[in-house]
Amino acid sequence: NSLSVIERRKLYNHWVKKFHQHHYNKMCTLIDKFKRKHEEYIDSRNRKDLQLLQKTHVICMTTTGAAKDKHLLEKLKPKIIIAEEAAEVLESHIIACLTPATQHLILIGDHKQLQPNPNEHLLARRFKLNVSLFERLVTHLPCVTLQIQHRMRPEIADLVRYNIYPNLKDHESVKKYENIRGITTNMYFFDHTYPEQFNRSKKSYSNREEAKLVAKLCEYLLQQSYDPSDITVLATYAQQVMVLKDLIPEANYDTEDSENGEIEEQDKNTQLLQVKTVDGYQGEENKVVILSLVRSNEDDDVGFLRLPNRSCVALSRAKEGLYCFGNFSLLSNNSTLWENIFTDLHNKEMIGSTLKLCCANHPLSVTNITTLKDFEKVPEGGCWLQCNADLSCGHKCTLKCHIADPHHERYQCKKRCLKKCKACGQPCKHKCYTGCDNQKCETLISKTMPKCNHIQLVPCYMDPGMFKCQEKRRVKCPNGHKITLYCFNNYAKPSCNEPCNKTCSTNLQRPHKCPKKCSDACGNCEVMVEVILPQCGHKNYVPCYMQRYLRLFTLTIISCKTLIKTTLPSCGHTIARPCGKSIVDHPCSVPVCVKLPCGHSKDVKCYRAQGMDEDNLASEKCFVKISKVFKPCGHVADLPCCNSDVTECPVKCNTVLLCGHKCSGTCYECHQGQLHKPCMFHLSKLLCGHETTMKCSSTMTEPYPSCNYRCEKFCPHTKCSHMCRDPCKPCNKPCNWKCDHYKCTRKCSEVCNRARCYKPCPLFNKCRHHCIGVCGEPCPDVCNICDEEQFLQLYVSLNRFKTKHNTNYIQLDCGHLFNRTELDPWVDARSRKLQLISCPKCDQIIHFHHRYGNAIRRTHKYVTHIRHAMSEVLATNTKLEVQNKRQRIASIAKKILCEEDLQVAFPYCEDTDEVSLTENVLSATNVVVNLIDSIASLSMHSTKGDIVNSLRILINYILKNYMSLSLQIIQDVVREQRRIALWIMIIQLKKEKLYLADYQTVRQVENVVVIKPERACNSRQLLPQQAKQVYLRLSRIAKKYGVHLLDRKYISTPQLPLLYTGKWKQCFEDQDHYYCIPQPPADVQCDFLRAVECPHCSMQFEDDESKLMDI
């Protein structure tokens, strides 16, 4: 008790320190002891391993294991080291396996196949790290080469014999292979021109049409009774492997692709068809190999297919059959190796665009496969003829010619069984494949019931004793009603649904009939009757059964509900209350006026006013409107008196933002017009023309919303059945756009190759007048002579004056008529813009029109490209980049923000996985990092309380609006940062002893820059021109006195950030590149420089119509 509080605190801290020191020393001792024990354990284990290894003659290790256990190898002192697949092992790995005792190093491998694959491709090219020790030595030292191969049949071996291995010889065993069943040749190269697709996120290529052909060929080979484990599908790109696994149901997945690295039990016993990349299949082989080369484009780019190493691996994996799919004209133009191979294949007629399938059952039947649809001719793996084989059940096989199951052991006959039931002799009603012996005969036959001797129709398989007799009989219920019962209900209580004929015995003068059913218990009578209550004499309605209680008891068991007027003794007010309710239980609800502490009067209920004291009056809310002046803005607003202590100004901002909408925030939320609230308006339409609920401020950090409407595109042959967000299936039927002068010869979904016809339509209307349409286009359904009034209602002129022409009218789907000379140039101009082509009058989207089909396809292509750019999710490495940048933002924010602000702002900059990481999110993160860095460096130049508080508000504003970042928010932050920077410069100059004229200049500038309370409501954001003038004036004064001001970067206008919101543009250099620039209203100033950079080709452009294409 003699110690003071400070001394107690010191004593407590001393004890805590000693406690920590004691346990820290103890922990250090335990850690040292653990390290010694661990080293002893490792040493003991190594000695035990060494003893075991010294007893063996051959030790097998990986190069990684050999490097890790180098100390064991040095103690074992192996004299001979053999490296298998040495051509694929890095030179450093081979060197790490050598020891001082090594006398003989044997390298086994093939340097003409895959090379080592370092992680850094640039280092591999610069320093030749992809060249193995084996490859370096084999070109300068004598070596032994195996020349007899035991894998490939001779025609497959010829692919690598004449171009890669000139001395290769075939073993006799490879000449005895059986021919591939179902195909006329054992090797074939299928040539096609299907275009490839590039996946930006995975940076890999695929060719879906080629993959469909490969999948169909796999299915066909499996129908030839090949085991799935005998077939391997190889692809040159990983993305093509993923596409193939989706299309081939028999394909299995590698163990490394599973989450836990284990295979399920069923996969351990079942070898499925393998789909792998060429690089992942080196050193393996199979009976039949199907190779997908993927690359097919108009740019003459074949990628790594020009390398002979990978080509050698791809062509040497098959034993009995090899089938390759690719664009071979493209490969031969870019690779001498492939050109030589194809020349040899042309001589042997093993290359082309037609694969010939032969039927094992009908050898003369050959099916030519040129497209995917041709596989429908061989649905069962045979040919198009009917099987018609006799089955054991007496029917014939209904399948097409099939190779699998030739004896029909697994075939299920779906026809009706021809057998008869042994019990009843009736024909079987089941299918053949179900088997009559295992089925129950459902035929109804007459049987005598053992209990009642009635004759009933009973299923053949059922015992009569188990059947419920359905014979009906008429009986009477206890109340005398006649009812119908089944024979099996003989001993059950009958259920009568007739009305109950009993009467209520309570009221003998007016008896009530029971409203329930005959078989139900009557119970209490619930009929409402009028009675006179004994306690008050009023009439009330009560249930009939309660009358007996009124006669037997004089107690008040029923509360009277008749309203009576009563004067309350406590206040003297007259109220209407139910007769049965006590005066004490009924509070007075008459409104009375009370005086509140604020001086205003308020009407409250009487019972509340009677019990009010000063505390109750103080807690009562006053809603009288009063005027209040808010600081520091100076706005005057009407508020309820109970909210008079509110300091947040509720006046609406209503400033027009860069997006064109008015700001929905208040003066307080927008920081007196300096930092505006994010725009909460909803976008009206998507690019496809459908409505959306997406907010305006969410377009930069959310992926493009998927449209949930049905696709409205159509053509003369079909209508799209997909959702609007999904790609449409192209129509492959011939285009029917033709007239007497021109005709399109392409498919319906392709770009038409005919010109527009400008001649009048030669047809006549039903009224015998000439058609007013255009040749080859749908005829308008009105006549300009007979239906002149309707014609004038539908006709729309795109010129200033509505001129009536005689012919050349075009009618759109909406019904409006336009002249051809006006509509053609209008559609051509709109086809170069972003939005889809619509009717100039009613804005209905034009989804199909022969005359404007090419323009419609062009706009749909633009919309598809832009939708993909806005919704494409970035790769995993980009996610890590965003996460690192957010951690950097958080570390800077911890240094400036207080604890309370950190709790609010941190969720906005830490949750990386909750947002789809699109290009917009990455760009927005880069913008936030640059702004936060600039503000953090600005905070190091001043410690004044007002400036520090302004910077804290600015960072808090950025973090809170990170996920709704917009150009308006960026502009507000830049302007506020510019104002604070000038404020710091003014403080730097005011510290000097200035002349009177210079001091007055600084004071004038301070009135422009610094927001003071007496004029806060009239303050406006500091525009770039004003800031530049202020900076120049301050620089002159600082130069005169030798004062070093802040860097000019805080005042300069930043470059426009690349964000996907605003006006979409098309790159002038490459028209497949798209990017976006803001398009603020004409009366709203945008601070950003108009120079933009194409995100794809890094080409700099100015916002000039001569260099930008507005799409």
Side-chain angles (χ1 to χ4, degrees), residues 896 935 938-954 976-977 979-988 1010 1046:
I896 300 176
I935 295 171
L938 198 62
S939 65
M940 299 171 62
H941 293 87
S942 178
T943 57
K944 188 177 179 181
D946 293 341
I947 293 180
V948 173
N949 187 51
S950 299
L951 293 174
R952 182 179 60 81
I953 293 174
L954 197 56
E976 182 66 9
Q977 175 189 316
R979 186 187 67 82
I980 296 173
L982 292 173
W983 190 1
I984 294 174
M985 296 179 192
I986 292 171
I987 293 175
Q988 290 176 340
V1010 182
L1046 293 180

Side-chain angles (χ1 to χ4, degrees), residues 896 931-939 951 954-955 958 973 977:
I896 300 176
L931 292 175
I932 292 290
D933 283 343
S934 180
I935 295 171
S937 62
L938 198 62
S939 65
L951 293 174
L954 197 56
I955 291 183
I958 295 173
V973 172
Q977 175 189 316

